[in-house]
Amino acid sequence: MKNPIQAMYEAGIVEATDFPADSRYHGVPTRYFTAPDGRQLPYLTRRFVPAPERFATMGYRMVAESERLDQIAAETIGNAVAFWMHCDANRAIWAEELEVPGHELRLTLPEGVPTAEEGS
């Protein structure tokens, strides 16, 4: 019997990617550059950060002394690796921009997911 996940990749139902679903690069297309010696060098296309308006606000939280964004992501969304979602929703490129004690961090749902009030 064929692996069902592999079958979905082959059928194009699930996009094959080198990045896990919780990566900011999941779904970003790969292209290839042909080097002068003929080698094919893979690279990722540009990832455009979504507008903060595409994120539904769930609340706000003050950043505490010595707190890191991965710790906050683990606490608020249950996934430390997904700290980049907080960066996207708060217009930050680097996690350190949001790790300032006393900074009010906007907590959101993932991009495009409406709140219960917005969905009704």
Side-chain angles (χ1 to χ4, degrees), residues 83-98:
F83 70 90
W84 59 270
M85 291 181 186
H86 287 317
C87 288
D88 284 358
N90 286 273
R91 290 189 193 263
I93 294 175
W94 306 105
E96 294 80 14
E97 295 176 53
L98 303 174

Side-chain angles (χ1 to χ4, degrees), residues 99-115:
E99 296 173 342
V100 177
H103 174 77
E104 186 175 60
L105 183 67
R106 178 176 171 236
L107 304 175
T108 69
L109 291 172
E111 177 193 5
V113 176
T115 62

Side-chain angles (χ1 to χ4, degrees), residues 7-106:
M8 288 190 287
Y9 283 130
E10 291 171 7
I13 297 168
V14 175
E15 181 184 346
T17 178
D18 289 335
F19 299 98
D22 60 358
S23 169
R24 74 173 77 195
Y25 302 110
H26 180 76
V28 175
T30 302
R31 301 282 187 261
Y32 293 88
F33 170 77
T34 303
D37 64 3
R39 288 180 300 142
Q40 293 288 304
L41 305 173
Y43 67 93
L44 292 176
T45 60
R46 185 173 178 187
R47 176 184 178 265
F48 290 96
V49 178
E53 299 78 38
R54 299 226 358 111
F55 299 91
T57 301
M58 296 300 298
Y60 294 88
R61 177 187 191 295
M62 298 301 275
V63 176
E65 185 73 38
S66 302
E67 201 167 31
R68 296 187 327 259
L69 201 56
D70 61 330
Q71 295 168 322
I72 295 170
E75 175 191 317
T76 59
I77 58 179
N79 185 348
V81 176
F83 70 90
W84 59 270
M85 291 181 186
H86 287 317
C87 288
D88 284 358
N90 286 273
R91 290 189 193 263
I93 294 175
W94 306 105
E96 294 80 14
E97 295 176 53
L98 303 174
E99 296 173 342
V100 177
H103 174 77
E104 186 175 60
L105 183 67
R106 178 176 171 236

